[in-house]
Amino acid sequence: MTATPATGGKPRARASSGPLVVRRGRRRPGRDTGQGSGRRVRRSATLTVLTSVMLVYALLPLAWLLINASKTQEGLFASFGLWFDDDFALFRNIAGTFTYDGGVFTRWLLNTLLYVVVGAGGATVLATVAGYGLAKFDFPGKKAVFAVVTGAVAVPGTALAVPTFLMFSGLGLTNTPWAIIIPSLVSPFGLYLMWTFAADAVPDEILESARVDGAREFQAFLRIGLPLLAPGIVTVLLFTVVATWNNYFLPLIMLKDPDWYPLTLGLKNWNAQASTIGGEAIFNLVITGSLLTIVPLIAAFLLLQRYWRSGLAAGSVKE
């Protein structure tokens, strides 16, 4: 055994199998992150400017909505649009929104919640089950199903609105909640997303181990598949909730009874009152109602964003 000589208290460099390359030169400040991490930070003024522009583009409408929801009907036209009026009427506008026209806004809110819970929730369940089955089981015609699903993703919803109306009219389901709920149950994009997510998120080896231990397919899905699919389920749920909550064209052609209107269609009718003969202009209530409409969506994204981001990133790194 050979002893390693001391080098004046300094650690000795590790031996390398290749040639030693010594680079000279001054190190530029701001190129490394941390103490000796070796990772470089790339800064781009163009990217910073573009990000700032997108941030302003996204937040400016929300700021305008919040500011103008605090104004009276007269204050909307007598003050600057991006600053508050002297008469702060936000809470009065909120109370007026819920009490105007016999409290119909509350009815529209409950209708929207019904369509979201049953329609978007059902679409998420169907996409999860179908996506898991398509990802983990082989059967004849699987490629044809894949072609149909990808083709359905490319078809815009407005192109199917008229055929859907004719079909539901023939079944006598127009002007009923089922005319909104049933089409909302079908989400080709959600199915495709769960299909691709389940293929990577649920390893086949774990399912095989569960089958060897005597677990049935449904038990393996509930105990193993669902926990691993949680990020993808939340991602699909957010997409379907937003699509159903903001749905406007389908209720427009399907519903005639204002008692079944969602918030989008109800607020549009309030806004149109100003252009009708003898109609009352209630722009302050329309703006306040629009602000109240987006609050649940913002809360859902803030509470579930970590699952949403992890669901979008799943499968992006291949081991």
Side-chain angles (χ1 to χ4, degrees), residues 218-289:
F218 189 69
Q219 292 176 337
F221 171 70
L222 290 179
R223 298 181 180 181
I224 299 175
L226 279 183
L228 295 175
L229 294 175
I233 293 173
V234 173
T235 304
V236 174
L237 180 63
L238 283 175
F239 278 113
T240 53
V241 165
V242 172
T244 307
W245 191 278
N246 295 329
N247 197 358
Y248 171 77
F249 190 66
L250 184 64
L252 178 65
I253 65 175
M254 289 290 188
L255 301 177
K256 294 182 180 179
D257 188 359
D259 289 337
W260 291 115
Y261 280 177
L263 287 171
T264 52
L265 201 57
L267 291 176
K268 178 260 181 182
N269 280 4
W270 274 7
N271 187 56
Q273 287 184 183
S275 59
T276 59
I277 299 177
E280 181 183 5
I282 51 171
F283 297 121
N284 60 325
L285 300 186
V286 174
I287 295 175
T288 306

Side-chain angles (χ1 to χ4, degrees), residues 58-298:
L59 295 182
L60 187 61
L62 297 179
W64 183 93
L65 196 62
L66 178 61
I67 292 172
N68 288 274
S70 65
K71 300 179 181 180
T72 61
Q73 178 71 18
E74 296 77 14
L76 287 173
F77 302 96
S79 61
F80 180 58
L82 290 177
W83 194 245
F84 297 93
D85 191 22
D86 296 334
D87 187 7
F88 189 80
L90 176 61
F91 300 105
R92 280 179 288 163
N93 287 339
I94 293 176
T97 301
F98 282 101
T99 57
Y100 182 78
D101 196 12
V104 69
F105 183 84
T106 304
R107 172 80 184 205
W108 295 338
L109 178 60
L110 294 177
N111 292 340
T112 305
L113 291 176
L114 173 66
Y115 302 148
V116 167
V117 171
V118 181
T124 304
V125 172
L126 293 177
T128 302
V129 176
Y132 175 84
L134 290 170
K136 296 303 172 183
F137 296 96
D138 292 326
F139 55 89
K142 185 176 180 178
K143 293 183 178 180
V145 174
F146 179 79
V148 171
V149 171
T150 53
V153 172
V155 177
T158 53
L160 301 176
V162 174
T164 304
F165 172 78
L166 296 176
M167 180 176 63
F168 277 78
S169 179
L171 296 174
L173 295 178
T174 55
N175 203 29
T176 64
W178 297 110
I180 310 300
I181 293 175
I182 295 178
S184 300
L185 293 174
V186 181
S187 177
F189 177 74
L191 174 58
Y192 177 77
L193 187 62
M194 287 304 304
W195 187 347
T196 56
F197 183 83
D200 294 331
V202 183
D204 295 333
E205 294 78 9
I206 298 180
L207 296 178
E208 290 296 333
S209 300
R211 296 187 184 104
V212 170
D213 291 339
R216 297 185 178 182
E217 295 296 339
F218 189 69
Q219 292 176 337
F221 171 70
L222 290 179
R223 298 181 180 181
I224 299 175
L226 279 183
L228 295 175
L229 294 175
I233 293 173
V234 173
T235 304
V236 174
L237 180 63
L238 283 175
F239 278 113
T240 53
V241 165
V242 172
T244 307
W245 191 278
N246 295 329
N247 197 358
Y248 171 77
F249 190 66
L250 184 64
L252 178 65
I253 65 175
M254 289 290 188
L255 301 177
K256 294 182 180 179
D257 188 359
D259 289 337
W260 291 115
Y261 280 177
L263 287 171
T264 52
L265 201 57
L267 291 176
K268 178 260 181 182
N269 280 4
W270 274 7
N271 187 56
Q273 287 184 183
S275 59
T276 59
I277 299 177
E280 181 183 5
I282 51 171
F283 297 121
N284 60 325
L285 300 186
V286 174
I287 295 175
T288 306
S290 301
L291 177 64
L292 296 175
T293 299
I294 66 174
V295 168
L297 295 180
I298 295 176

